[in-house]
Amino acid sequence: RYCPENLKDNDEFKAYITCAVFSEDGREVIGSYNDEDIYLFNTYDPEGSPHIHRYQGHRNSATVKGVNFYGPNSEYVISGSDCGNIFIWDKQTEGLVKLMPGDDNGVVNVLEAHPTLPVLATSGLDDEVKLWMPLQVTAGPGHCWQREQKEYMLKTVQRNLNDRETQRNSEPDPLDGQMLWVLWRHIRRAERRRREAAAARGEEEAVSDADTSEEEEEESDGELEDMQSRLEALRS
């Protein structure tokens, strides 16, 4: 029913929605698009009406990213990113108000807010689900933490925008380097969990696997680097 004008009949790349969520009162809907921005539409507007807000700075390329509202009255828009950060925008101003490292392995996929409490649950490629809640921050001398946060936000957003532009201008590659890295890490972690489960059952193979797990991890790191180098050589 709704689609951003700049994504209609786009010849540069095919855009599709990875997640869409209604606001608390149902008057608004946000949609996140593959390696594009997040757009907000008014559900009371006629079909085909343009978006009324646009939220920028994150990346939605390596995995399927969710998007959501946050706050008792849907005052904020939140999303994960390929860079491993959680992005929080002010819904009305479209300004980025908070950026938090949310995943050690580099990708945040799912975000879900508590219906009544200011608590946020997130998950990505890590093994655990993280819970977040706002805390009172005590400002240090000269508010150094504010300057550091602003610098981190600017660098992260600029890097994401540059990476997106670079990927769009390059030739289509079915073995995207970032996707390859994500898949490889996922395979390694799945194998590690299998070994741990076997060890818990007392299987003999788990004992021998545990003795060599560190060596195999180092070897897999080397194999991954070699695969990435080959990929880069093919691109050039």
Side-chain angles (χ1 to χ4, degrees):
R1 181 176 176 180
Y2 301 107
C3 181
E5 289 293 332
N6 57 303
L7 299 184
K8 292 180 180 178
D9 302 322
N10 194 316
D11 296 330
E12 296 182 4
F13 69 98
K14 182 176 178 58
Y16 54 88
I17 296 176
T18 63
C19 184
V21 179
F22 285 96
S23 61
E24 181 268 339
D25 59 7
R27 292 175 175 269
E28 299 162 326
V29 60
I30 47 176
S32 182
Y33 294 77
N34 60 303
D35 213 11
E36 241 289 338
D37 299 328
I38 297 169
Y39 297 87
L40 184 146
F41 301 88
N42 189 328
T43 57
Y44 285 15
D45 288 343
E47 182 174 344
S49 297
H51 62 275
I52 58 176
H53 289 296
R54 180 177 182 175
Y55 310 97
Q56 301 175 289
H58 77 307
R59 283 210 72 192
N60 181 7
S61 176
T63 57
V64 177
K65 304 293 182 303
V67 66
N68 219 324
F69 288 98
Y70 184 63
N73 298 307
S74 303
E75 297 95 334
Y76 300 97
V77 173
I78 56 177
S79 174
S81 176
D82 292 347
C83 61
N85 289 293
I86 300 168
F87 283 69
I88 304 179
W89 295 271
D90 183 282
K91 185 181 70 174
Q92 296 300 328
T93 68
E94 304 177 5
L96 183 61
V97 298
K98 189 69 175 178
L99 191 64
M100 304 182 297
D103 194 276
D104 294 335
N105 285 303
V107 179
V108 177
N109 293 323
V110 181
L111 311 95
E112 191 67 37
H114 191 278
T116 57
L117 300 176
V119 176
L120 176 67
T122 66
S123 68
L125 296 183
D126 287 343
D127 292 328
E128 67 275 356
V129 174
K130 296 182 176 67
L131 295 179
W132 307 80
M133 64 181 299
L135 297 175
Q136 179 68 38
V137 177
T138 302
H143 302 279
C144 294
W145 64 274
Q146 291 182 337
R147 292 199 302 270
E148 293 175 357
Q149 172 73 0
K150 183 178 180 180
E151 291 175 359
Y152 179 69
M153 292 169 63
L154 290 174
K155 290 180 180 179
T156 301
V157 169
Q158 189 60 55
R159 182 172 62 250
N160 286 343
L161 294 177
N162 290 341
D163 289 347
R164 178 200 290 179
E165 191 65 23
T166 299
Q167 182 172 334
R168 287 184 179 178
N169 292 333
S170 62
E171 294 182 3
D173 191 344
L175 292 176
D176 177 76
Q178 188 173 21
M179 178 63 76
L180 179 66
W181 180 85
V182 169
L183 292 175
W184 189 260
R185 288 296 298 268
H186 180 74
I187 292 172
R188 281 178 50 195
R189 292 171 61 229
E191 179 63 20
R192 190 178 302 117
R193 286 195 294 268
R194 185 193 67 79
R195 292 197 187 103
E196 292 173 353
R201 293 193 301 266
E203 297 180 3
E204 294 183 359
E205 69 161 320
V207 177
S208 59
D209 284 346
D211 294 336
T212 59
S213 60
E214 292 185 2
E215 295 179 2
E216 290 179 352
E217 186 168 332
E218 292 178 358
E219 291 177 359
S220 62
D221 283 337
E223 292 174 359
L224 177 58
E225 292 177 359
D226 181 63
M227 292 173 67
Q228 289 177 326
S229 298
R230 290 169 182 255
L231 184 61
E232 293 298 329
L234 289 173
R235 285 173 174 168
S236 58

